[in-house]
Amino acid sequence: MSESTANASGENRAGETPVADELETVEDGDVTVTEGGTELERTIGLVGGLAIGVGTMIGAGIFVFPGIAAGQAGPAAAGSYAIGMVIALLVALPASELATAMPKSGGGYYFVSRSLGALAGTVVGVSLWLSLVFASSFYLVGFGSYAAEVLARVGITLSFSPTVALGLVFGALLTGLSFTGTENTAKLQNYVVAILLVILSLFLAYGGASALGFIGESSTPETFMPFGAMPVVTTAALVFTSYLGFAQVATVAGEIKNPGRNLPLAMVGSVLIVGVFYVCTVFVATSAFGSAKLASFGETAMVEVAGSFWGPAGAIAILVAGLLATVSSANASIMSSSRAVFALSKDALAPKKASAINLKYGTPHVALTMAGVPTLLLVASGETEILAEVASILSLVMYGLICVSLLAMRRDEPEWYDPDFRVPAYPVVAGLGALSSFGLIAFMQRTSQIVGVVVMLAAAGWYYYYARDVSLKGAL
């Protein structure tokens, strides 16, 4: 049963009321501000917010998918990434408006629970928590794979495969770092993303000059859409996984300084930055080898492209970039996953202990444990590809419901709803965002669709078992 307290009328009413006017704001990083009603501190600025969004998204999109996408859509795979960027923006805009009206920890969970009720909120909150756990484990196994490849290329051989072992070690280190303070985690994210973007910018600058014929050998042009238009759309569904990070900025909204300004800039800005990187990367890669040969390299295609530019040093550089990308993605996902649990607990939809704050570091240590431990267990399995796609499906459901939530909020406009940012032409933008998010799920694998449905049904079962009597403060 819920641990929230029933009031005099017998109603079990819990959670935070989303009254934006109660929140204090700051103009720079020298002042510590406390989120109204909680002990979480607002320590993340605009750069930190962009680093969370960019750092989460730029991993798989550049280091795993280009070869696979080129094999399905040819050079037009760049168009698939562009389609994905447009859909992500259609969701990022409604999410930005809702985030400035409700800058609370939990992001998408908080928006949906206040707009569509506790049942929908529980399903989205549990799905968000687990989707980020699955995604974190996928990134850490990817990190282990890149690290093993680095060791092999520098001539270090081990008697065992280090992939899982390295993923476990770094997963434990990142979880431990998150315990010591959000500010430390954000600083690590800033440094990692800055180094990563420098390496990728050099790679794209050289590759772009080569593709345009200014340096190196000229390549033979190939047909832009060799397989027609439909593969471009289906490939967009595949690579949309690359854009699943922008909403994680909203999950730490309770720790963002000056949320009215920084939240929209961080979410929309991170989608635009990584979208441009993705499109340019596919253009450079397909120009270097041609789509058929690029596809034959599979998930390590970018290593081969860098090697063709700069030899072994280039291959090592892009491997290091891959390590940084997977570390930053895992780091941001572990932190965001814990905030989903924290938000559920604050609303009495999960045990109260899960929202306990460590008095020394000011971090939700129980929620971090609930994010870190299952992540490490999944890393130990070493088989997380299918879970990564499940994470995408659960995220797409949340994205679609975020757009529906905006329509519900604009329709009823409660007294406390006063966002600093409003979506222009909101019915069209939110409607297209919902349709495109739900529509992409149809292009996923059947096994992933079934697992996603089972997770959501289990979350609904938890609601009816534990929290069916909870009425959330501030809900429509």
Side-chain angles (χ1 to χ4, degrees):
M1 293 298 292
S2 167
E3 297 179 26
S4 60
T5 304
N7 60 22
S9 65
E11 182 184 22
N12 187 2
R13 195 162 178 79
E16 298 173 285
T17 303
V19 181
D21 290 341
E22 289 182 355
L23 296 172
E24 300 175 72
T25 58
V26 295
E27 298 300 329
D28 56 49
D30 297 328
V31 182
T32 297
V33 177
T34 302
E35 180 188 5
T38 79
E39 290 75 27
L40 289 179
E41 296 177 346
R42 295 190 179 277
T43 57
I44 303 174
L46 175 58
V47 174
L50 282 169
I52 290 173
V54 172
T56 308
M57 285 188 279
I58 211 162
I62 283 183
F63 296 99
V64 178
F65 285 135
I68 300 171
Q72 294 188 7
S80 301
Y81 277 98
I83 292 172
M85 179 174 66
V86 171
I87 294 174
L89 285 172
L90 288 173
V91 180
L93 288 168
S96 295
E97 175 173 329
L98 293 169
T100 61
M102 296 174 275
K104 303 283 189 179
S105 297
Y109 154 73
Y110 198 86
F111 311 152
V112 173
S113 65
R114 265 53 185 182
S115 306
L116 305 178
L119 172 58
T122 303
V123 172
V124 168
V126 172
S127 299
L128 177 60
W129 164 43
L130 292 179
S131 71
L132 291 172
V133 165
F134 296 152
S136 301
S137 61
F138 174 73
Y139 298 138
L140 287 168
V141 171
F143 169 84
S145 300
Y146 268 87
E149 184 67 20
V150 170
L151 293 176
R153 286 186 178 251
V154 298
I156 298 176
T157 57
L158 300 173
S159 58
F160 62 94
S161 174
T163 299
V164 171
L166 290 169
L168 286 171
V169 169
F170 271 79
L173 288 174
L174 293 175
T175 304
L177 180 66
S178 297
F179 275 98
T180 64
T182 305
E183 194 168 6
N184 293 331
T185 308
K187 283 181 179 177
L188 171 67
Q189 192 75 1
N190 292 350
Y191 293 137
V192 168
V193 171
I195 296 172
L196 176 60
L197 291 182
V198 168
I199 295 175
L200 289 176
S201 297
L202 292 173
F203 168 78
L204 292 178
Y206 186 94
S210 175
L212 295 174
F214 296 118
I215 57 176
E217 298 179 1
S218 59
S219 57
T220 303
E222 60 179 322
T223 304
F224 184 66
M225 286 195 298
F227 311 117
M230 184 52 69
V232 179
V233 179
T234 56
T235 303
L238 170 71
V239 302
F240 189 74
T241 308
S242 311
Y243 291 99
L244 296 183
F246 67 88
Q248 292 191 27
V249 180
T251 64
V252 294
E255 293 150 273
I256 296 283
K257 302 173 186 173
N258 197 1
R261 168 183 175 272
N262 289 338
L263 280 170
L265 288 175
M267 281 193 277
V268 175
S270 58
V271 170
L272 290 173
I273 290 171
V274 299
V276 170
F277 267 94
Y278 289 157
V279 171
C280 292
T281 296
V282 174
F283 170 71
V284 166
T286 53
S287 299
F289 281 116
S291 56
K293 190 171 183 180
L294 192 69
S296 69
F297 296 137
E299 297 177 352
T300 60
M302 295 308 298
V303 178
E304 303 300 333
V305 173
S308 73
F309 290 159
W310 298 319
I316 293 294
I318 211 69
L319 281 169
V320 170
L323 290 174
L324 294 173
T326 48
V327 164
S328 67
S329 296
N331 184 44
S333 297
I334 290 172
M335 180 169 63
S336 300
S337 177
S338 70
R339 273 38 173 196
V341 176
F342 178 84
L344 281 168
S345 175
K346 292 288 289 183
D347 284 346
L349 299 177
K352 184 178 180 181
K353 192 172 181 60
S355 57
I357 300 294
N358 183 283
L359 296 179
K360 181 177 181 180
Y361 299 113
T363 51
H365 58 289
V366 177
L368 279 166
T369 302
M370 293 177 67
V373 171
T375 295
L376 295 179
L377 291 175
L378 289 173
V379 171
S381 75
E383 299 292 337
T384 55
E385 288 82 358
I386 191 72
L387 299 177
E389 190 165 293
V390 173
S392 300
I393 289 175
L394 296 174
S395 297
L396 282 166
V397 170
M398 181 183 73
Y399 291 170
L401 290 178
I402 285 175
C403 295
V404 174
S405 296
L406 178 66
L407 295 171
M409 278 292 174
R410 286 288 194 102
R411 180 195 61 197
D412 294 341
E413 290 259 357
E415 185 177 346
W416 54 261
Y417 190 74
D418 184 24
D420 291 333
F421 169 80
R422 285 183 176 266
V423 180
Y426 83 93
V428 176
V429 172
L432 289 176
L435 289 175
S436 55
S437 296
F438 293 136
L440 275 184
I441 296 174
F443 296 96
M444 301 284 186
Q445 297 180 49
R446 180 59 58 87
T447 302
S448 303
Q449 293 170 337
I450 293 173
V451 174
V453 169
V454 169
V455 169
M456 288 185 282
L457 289 175
W462 169 260
Y463 167 80
Y464 284 111
Y465 165 73
Y466 184 84
R468 63 182 180 277
D469 61 337
V470 173
S471 175
L472 296 174
K473 294 177 180 176
L476 292 178

